[in-house]
Amino acid sequence: MEENDITTESTPLEMPAKLRVGITHGDINGISYELLLKTFDDPAIAQELFTPVIYGSTRIAAAYRKMLELPEFKWNKIADAEEADPSRVNIINVVAEDTPLATGTATPEAGQAAFAALERATADLKEGKIDVLVTCPINKNAIHSEEFSFPGHTEYLEDRLSDPENPSKAMMIMCGRGIRVALVTIHDPIARVAELITKESVADAIERFAATLVKDFGVHGPRIAVLGLNPHAGDAGVIGTEEQDIIIPAIEEANRRHLVAFGPYAADGFWASGAYTRFDGVLAIYHDQGLIPFKMIADTEGVNYTAGLPFIRTSPDHGTAFDIAGRGVADPRSLREAIYAAIDIYRARQREEECTRSPLRKQQPERRRKRQNEGGATENPEPTSAAATE
């Protein structure tokens, strides 16, 4: 079937608004289109839960559908996210028509296509055309250029989505199966990790992690476990002193701020014993210390969440999987979980904002004076805040 057989043109619709979920196609030579086709093969996902807006290419989608011999699928081709049909799977073409496919291979053209989708989706997120962002995996080597000089999505989004006058610091959090793992250092070489951790950076990570657990996951008074840097958490200074000199003082500082943090724990025993099940969050010092055990435990249900920003972005917890691209064996569950997590976090933020917003209005000055002159309450008094009560 030709591209025109699987797409329809659309005009803006006057229908009740649903949450718009923007999804970037990631690296076109990986498994992203297989995941998208399998995810939206169930029409109930688009019709009942949210409005999908894919940033990608109908031509490439058609090519993968044929390659993988998947059922016919009709995308709703639109020019702008504001035109999205709430009952359809919408797609915005952001890729040059002559962009070649090289399934299973990292190419500059695929990197450019991934960047084009990410730039457009990020701009739409900032403008409010979509409510949340879900990103399919990119190949960091392919996408790297003068325009994208970041180690990954997290650092790019921190740069693009922060308020210039009040910059936010992004935090990578992996979540799934009730586990939440945050990182002090993210995409940093192991050789630099020890020099990057300080008492201030660890204490700050604990504080930001706790705030995210409250705001984005609805966990109040979260219990956070902090891992050590060295084997056996330093063995009281025999193997290393970072625990005694940096991590323990950081935990003590967090406790003084009334945050519930424990540790440092030796990472191997902590994960192997199942101790992680007794905490609301685990703070790992470096990337592989947290992500290797997390991915083994969460399996196909893991989600990468970029916390700490004014906007919500999630992603599957896996990469481009070039080794299985085009074979039809990719599992879409992590992408589905990333979509659901973005929606859940969006709603959790709304609930937290509603719960913490004061419903009490200050008294009008003249009504307050009347109360004072009469020495009592007025008829049908308005609610008063504590600050307005004399």
Side-chain angles (χ1 to χ4, degrees):
M1 251 176 222
E2 298 299 322
E3 177 191 340
N4 290 338
D5 293 329
I6 67 165
T7 60
T8 58
E9 299 292 342
S10 175
T11 55
L13 299 176
E14 296 294 332
M15 295 181 68
K18 290 193 299 184
L19 206 65
R20 283 181 181 159
V21 178
I23 307 174
T24 60
H25 65 177
D27 194 293
I28 60 175
N29 293 332
I31 60 172
S32 296
Y33 275 97
E34 181 179 347
L35 302 180
L36 290 167
L37 288 162
K38 288 180 175 178
T39 293
F40 294 111
D41 181 54
D42 180 0
I45 291 180
Q47 293 172 358
E48 298 176 8
L49 300 179
F50 60 95
T51 302
V53 180
I54 313 298
Y55 295 82
S57 165
T58 52
R59 177 181 62 85
I60 294 172
Y64 272 104
R65 189 196 65 77
K66 295 174 187 176
M67 182 192 308
L68 300 169
E69 298 181 345
L70 294 173
E72 180 182 350
F73 188 87
K74 290 187 177 181
W75 305 87
N76 185 46
K77 191 166 83 171
I78 58 176
D80 191 277
E82 292 182 329
E83 301 173 3
D85 183 336
S87 64
R88 304 284 299 281
V89 181
N90 306 277
I91 187 166
I92 300 175
N93 281 316
V94 296
V95 179
E97 285 299 313
D98 59 350
T99 300
L101 272 180
T103 303
T105 306
T107 66
E109 294 83 1
Q112 292 169 7
F115 180 68
L118 186 58
E119 281 278 273
R120 177 69 180 274
T122 303
D124 283 357
L125 184 64
K126 292 179 72 172
E127 292 178 21
K129 294 183 179 181
I130 56 176
D131 297 297
V132 297
L133 174 63
V134 178
T135 60
C136 286
I138 57 174
N139 179 276
K140 294 178 177 59
N141 182 54
I143 199 174
H144 198 81
S145 66
E146 290 184 2
E147 296 175 304
F148 190 98
S149 58
F150 306 93
H153 274 118
T154 304
E155 295 82 359
Y156 166 86
L157 294 168
E158 179 181 85
D159 179 78
R160 291 295 195 272
L161 298 179
S162 287
D163 181 352
E165 297 183 2
N166 186 25
S168 304
K169 189 172 182 181
M171 171 174 272
M172 178 186 286
I173 295 180
M174 310 300 290
C175 50
R177 294 193 176 180
I179 309 166
R180 305 174 192 92
V181 180
L183 305 176
V184 178
T185 63
I186 305 177
H187 297 120
D188 299 292
I190 289 293
R192 292 196 59 217
V193 169
E195 68 184 66
L196 290 173
I197 64 165
T198 63
K199 173 188 170 183
E200 291 73 23
S201 68
V202 176
D204 178 65
I206 296 171
E207 184 170 13
R208 289 187 293 119
F209 191 18
T212 294
L213 290 170
V214 173
K215 178 180 178 182
D216 297 340
F217 294 94
V219 180
H220 291 261
R223 293 164 52 89
I224 296 173
V226 182
L227 303 183
L229 170 68
N230 297 297
H232 304 181
D235 261 347
V238 174
I239 298 176
T241 62
E242 285 83 2
E243 285 76 14
Q244 292 177 311
D245 297 342
I246 297 171
I247 300 176
I248 290 174
I251 293 172
E252 292 172 344
E253 174 61 27
N255 294 157
R256 283 193 290 272
R257 299 177 189 172
H258 306 290
L259 301 174
V260 187
F262 302 88
Y265 296 98
D268 56 347
F270 180 84
W271 291 113
S273 67
Y276 61 87
T277 61
R278 300 196 292 271
F279 296 91
D280 300 302
V282 179
L283 183 64
I285 302 300
Y286 58 93
H287 187 280
D288 286 8
Q289 183 189 59
L291 268 61
I292 290 174
F294 171 82
K295 291 185 178 184
M296 293 183 69
I297 296 167
D299 195 19
T300 57
E301 298 177 18
V303 174
N304 179 353
Y305 169 48
T306 303
L309 301 178
F311 302 92
I312 294 167
R313 172 262 176 173
T314 62
S315 176
D317 73 344
H318 56 70
T320 55
F322 284 154
D323 57 324
I324 61 169
R327 291 171 50 191
V329 297
D331 191 327
R333 279 181 287 183
S334 185
L335 175 59
R336 288 176 184 158
E337 291 298 323
I339 294 170
Y340 300 150
I343 296 170
D344 288 344
I345 293 169
Y346 182 91
R347 291 172 177 167
R349 282 194 181 184
Q350 285 187 318
R351 286 193 297 269
E352 184 66 21
E353 183 179 343
E354 290 170 2
C355 290
T356 55
R357 185 189 302 125
S358 174
L360 302 179
R361 295 178 297 174
K362 291 184 179 180
Q363 285 185 312
Q364 297 290 336
E366 59 271 17
R367 184 179 281 273
R368 183 165 62 246
R369 284 195 297 270
K370 185 177 181 181
R371 284 171 57 90
Q372 292 172 338
N373 292 336
E374 294 179 353
T378 60
E379 185 178 358
N380 298 322
E382 292 184 0
T384 60
S385 68
T389 303
E390 307 242 330

